[in-house]
């Protein structure tokens, strides 16, 4: 049998996620407090890649918007791409999350989007809060604790 019509193919949503690491090996996170999706979850900073923007440029922009810090693109260390279903936005079929670490930045990280997030906090990768986002936890536990991340 022939297909009368091709099935609809929805685009992927590209997001960037960054783990800032302090000299103690702790990771910076905050709780989503006033968002439509993932409210109540503790997450790594990050956000959507805008149309026409590179993943690196989006990472630098998101860190400035969310935390008020300046990051040199050369100081971002790529660690993983996570491909997962997009369950909360019917416009997209999947989410591709690009994970980075960063140990150097200018400025003091603080929540610049208090209308969406609670204050920033530093956590040991071995002692993440119980409400840590499932995929962020997976990357932190899978990459950080197994020695794939350089803290220097």
């Amino acid at each position: 049998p022939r297909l009368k019509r091709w099935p609809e193919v929805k685009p992927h949503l590209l997001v960037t996620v960054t783990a800032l690491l302090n000299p103690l090996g702790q990771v910076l996170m905050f709780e989503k407090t006033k968002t439509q999706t993932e409210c109540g979850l503790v997450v790594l900073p990050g956000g959507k890649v805008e149309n026409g923007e590179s993943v690196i440029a989006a990472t630098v922009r998101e860190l400035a918007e969310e935390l008020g810090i300046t990051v040199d693109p050369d100081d971002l260390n790529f660690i993983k791409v996570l491909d997962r279903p997009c369950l909360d936005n019917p416009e997209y079929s999947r989410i591709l999350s690009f994970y980075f670490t960063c140990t150097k930045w200018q400025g003091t990280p603080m929540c610049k989007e208090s209308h969406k997030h609670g204050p920033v906090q530093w956590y040991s990768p071995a002692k993440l809060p119980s409400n840590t986002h499932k995929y962020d936890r997976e990357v932190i536990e899978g990459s950080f604790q197994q020695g794939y991340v350089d803290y220097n």
Side-chain angles (χ1 to χ4, degrees):
R2 294 168 122 187
L3 285 176
K4 293 182 181 179
R5 186 173 154 213
W6 286 99
E8 179 183 359
V9 177
K10 295 180 182 178
H12 286 50
L13 175 62
L14 302 181
V15 298
T16 177
V17 185
T18 305
L20 295 182
L21 303 170
N22 68 18
L24 300 175
Q26 297 170 315
V27 61
L28 183 138
M29 303 179 85
F30 45 54
E31 184 176 344
K32 287 191 166 195
T33 55
K34 300 170 186 139
T35 57
Q36 291 181 340
T37 60
E38 302 170 341
C39 190
L41 295 180
V42 174
V43 298
L44 295 167
K48 295 177 186 174
V49 177
E50 301 293 339
N51 195 15
E53 187 178 40
S54 74
V55 171
I56 296 294
T59 303
V60 170
R61 177 185 51 77
E62 285 289 344
L63 291 170
E65 289 176 2
E66 291 190 346
L67 301 175
I69 60 173
T70 302
V71 172
D72 184 325
D74 290 336
D75 291 328
L76 294 171
N77 303 299
F78 173 76
I79 55 172
K80 182 174 189 153
V81 174
L82 192 66
D83 180 1
R84 62 186 173 104
C86 184
L87 305 175
D88 54 7
N89 187 335
E91 189 177 337
Y92 302 100
S93 62
R94 303 197 62 79
I95 298 174
L96 294 178
S97 298
F98 294 81
Y99 280 84
F100 296 88
T101 60
C102 183
T103 58
K104 296 177 191 172
W105 57 85
Q106 293 179 340
T108 301
M110 61 183 69
C111 179
K112 292 293 192 179
E113 296 182 326
S114 58
H115 60 284
K116 296 194 294 190
H117 306 111
V120 300
Q121 295 191 35
W122 294 97
Y123 295 99
S124 164
K127 295 181 182 176
L128 297 175
S130 61
N131 59 332
T132 298
H133 189 285
K134 170 183 171 180
Y135 297 108
D136 289 354
R137 178 184 297 280
E138 177 183 315
V139 170
I140 291 168
E141 290 178 349
S143 298
F144 294 29
Q145 292 180 5
Q146 294 178 18
Y148 299 130
V149 174
D150 182 6
Y151 292 99
N152 299 315

